[in-house]
Amino acid sequence: MRDVEKAAGFLNLFADNVSAGMDVEPIEWIRENVVDQQSARSTHIDFTLSPFLLEPIDKFLNDGTVRHINLMAPTGSGKSTLFVGLLNYLIANDAGNTLVAFQNEQETSDFAETRLFPTFRDNKALKNLLPKKRHAARKTEILFPHMNLWMVSATKGQLQSKSCRYLIGDEMWAWEKGMVREFLARHHDRFNRKILMVSQGGDKGTDWVDEYGKGRIHHYHWQCPGCQGWNAYDWRDVIYSKEENIDWERFKESVKMVCPRCLHEIEDTVHNRRHLAGGGKYVFSGNTSALPEIVSYNFNALACYWVSWADLAVEWILANKKKRNGDIEPLKKFIQKRLAQNIVDLGEKDDVLKIPLTAESMEGYAVENERARFLTVDVQKGHFWHTVYGVDAGGAFHLLSEGRLETLEDIERKQAEFNVPDHCVALDCAFDTDAVRKICGLHHWFSMNGTVKEEYVHKIRGRGIKLIYAPLERHMVEGIQCLHFNFSSQRAKDVLAARIKSGHFKVPHDVSAEYIKQMQAESKQESIDKRTGRVSLKWLASGNNSHMWDCSCMAVIFAMIHRMI
């Protein structure tokens, strides 16, 4: 009898909470009840400030014909706030076992502890639903009296065994291959299941690209004040000054959005951006062959009124400038993180680089307006390969010496012959690392090593700046200090290839055939990441030695460190 009374008491309590929530629309309920101290724009979650989230929320909570919603959105657009608001609402008003999956354990625990759980404690509507027993609330899960909430990383072990009505996935672009399938299997074919998957743009070959394409795609549109026509937020409709020597203040004033229909121009102001986004709507793209129970939504940073179009234009120009110098990563990130687009066109492949030869001879070659010269060495078992480049004021590389060296004394003689300062000599320490670092320390040379990382963060004047080489490291070997740089091998090769193709790479006509052979030993081809399925373009070896290609990459890194390119 006592158990029956307890059950009845709980049901009455739950009914009070549910009936109180159902008197208002979900968006209004969330605004009144959910306090998110971590939100960048408002402590009380107000989705009317992010109008591009309203329809996806409505489909998730109110449309019984739609079971699965995909949302491809830019970074910083309120995806975490979306999760916080929805979870608070579901617990109080439409309970069901819920699984929220993140790309890794750190993201999972950070979201649970610092973002989500504090909102539960501050939500008066959840006060009587929070479990009283300590063991029912753990680091990344809460066992409520009427439902369970699990937050996990997207790994096979954590995605299995749980049975849920609601599935919410974050940053699907980074998930390993096959994990989306494991995730979707957790609803066990419930008739009332709901799935929400949210991410930035992804890469060709990943599960996210495939899943997004399965839905009926809707893009967020703005209405032109001039002709009243509806237009998708498209980067091609952003116009700005094309002056070669940019005055950034004047440049920002030139940035506008132009209607592709009537050419009406809209100034870049907070008022205009907010007015366009607030009056916007999603428009179906027309892919009627997609499954009707899956809906995919997309908006980009142009729709986020707090992000100026001028700032985006600056990012775009700087990213394209880096692309011209061979560094494609900033442009790729702009497309995926700002424009929220999948990248399925990987760009140009490089089968074999053509090394242009000049009329000059290796002997007595003098570099006009030379600013520095670098001796870089690839260490092998029992011998070495080297290059010496002079770099002129325009950032062009001039080959002065190349070939095989047999001994350490040969390296010393080569340094003296070309008068290369100690701080402009580097040895690759991938082979016999400690011995090479000891040599470098004794000679006051640098050691270098190419890695698989794409970028490194440097703290400059309190800001985190991402570069393709790492901050300087100091290593001690037998009491001798060696100065060392790691760098991104793939991105250094991109920069080197761009210098060669742009004419900023001068090689005398009497260079050795072995140098040409090694410089053409790698080509840029499609590569599949077995872990994620991601398809990308990478520099891959053809089977020939590429030692002087590696030396040339080190010279590129030296030039970047010295801010010559």
Side-chain angles (χ1 to χ4, degrees), residues 184-368:
L184 295 177
R186 295 307 97 215
H187 60 61
H188 291 172
D189 297 316
R190 281 178 166 81
F191 77 94
N192 62 346
R193 64 184 180 272
K194 284 287 187 176
I195 301 157
L196 174 63
M197 301 202 308
V198 182
S199 181
Q200 65 169 58
D203 292 289
K204 179 181 178 181
T206 57
D207 289 343
W208 169 239
V209 173
D210 294 338
E211 289 298 327
Y212 178 81
K214 290 178 182 178
R216 297 201 167 188
I217 297 173
H218 295 66
H219 296 288
Y220 201 65
H221 282 52
W222 57 277
Q223 187 173 29
C224 174
C227 66
Q228 305 302 309
W230 289 94
N231 307 300
Y233 278 95
D234 191 323
W235 184 251
R236 291 171 295 185
D237 297 332
V238 177
I239 60 172
Y240 46 81
S241 170
K242 298 296 195 300
E243 293 179 7
E244 188 170 336
N245 297 316
I246 300 176
D247 178 327
W248 288 112
E249 287 304 317
R250 287 176 54 196
F251 169 83
K252 288 187 175 184
E253 293 174 359
S254 76
V255 178
K256 299 178 179 65
M257 182 83 78
V258 62
C259 174
R261 301 169 186 270
C262 70
L263 303 184
H264 178 80
E265 295 183 0
I266 302 168
E267 298 285 339
D268 180 24
T269 66
V270 174
H271 175 269
N272 287 344
R273 296 194 302 267
R274 191 164 186 172
H275 177 74
L276 290 187
K281 68 177 182 180
Y282 280 101
V283 176
F284 179 40
S285 67
N287 60 328
T288 54
S289 60
L291 298 171
E293 65 267 24
I294 303 177
V295 180
S296 295
Y297 292 102
N298 172 243
F299 68 93
N300 59 48
L302 291 170
C304 300
Y305 73 85
W306 53 88
V307 180
S308 77
W309 300 334
D311 287 344
L312 293 174
V314 171
E315 284 186 44
W316 171 259
I317 288 174
L318 294 178
N320 275 280
K321 182 178 179 181
K322 289 192 174 183
K323 180 190 175 186
R324 289 192 293 273
N325 291 328
D327 187 1
I328 64 171
E329 286 302 313
L331 181 59
K332 180 181 174 183
K333 288 182 177 179
F334 184 90
I335 293 170
Q336 293 179 318
K337 295 178 179 293
R338 289 297 206 179
L339 300 186
Q341 295 177 7
N342 291 321
I343 294 181
V344 293
D345 180 3
L346 302 175
E348 297 181 3
K349 299 179 184 179
D350 281 314
D351 293 326
V352 176
L353 279 174
K354 183 178 180 180
I355 308 299
L357 302 181
T358 67
E360 286 83 4
S361 173
M362 292 287 288
E363 187 173 353
Y365 185 13
V367 180
E368 189 175 348

Side-chain angles (χ1 to χ4, degrees), residues 552-564:
S552 302
C553 289
M554 293 163 63
V556 163
I557 295 300
F558 252 147
M560 296 182 77
I561 292 170
H562 287 261
R563 299 185 179 180
M564 301 178 67

Side-chain angles (χ1 to χ4, degrees), residues 397-435:
F397 287 71
H398 301 257
L399 181 66
L400 304 178
S401 179
E402 47 83 10
R404 175 168 167 153
L405 303 174
E406 301 300 329
T407 66
L408 176 61
E409 289 73 21
D410 288 341
I411 300 175
E412 295 169 345
R413 282 191 286 270
K414 190 64 66 173
Q415 180 187 6
E417 177 186 353
F418 286 91
N419 194 28
V420 182
D422 289 340
H423 67 274
C424 292
V425 179
L427 274 60
D428 186 337
C429 67
F431 175 78
D432 204 359
T433 302
D434 284 347

Side-chain angles (χ1 to χ4, degrees), residues 76 115 176 184 521:
R115 193 72 186 268
E176 291 187 10
L184 295 177

Side-chain angles (χ1 to χ4, degrees), residues 441-457:
L442 289 169
H443 289 77
H444 305 291
W445 298 338
F446 287 93
S447 65
M448 288 189 181
N449 186 38
T451 73
V452 297
K453 289 190 69 171
E454 292 186 347
E455 60 192 12
Y456 298 86
V457 177

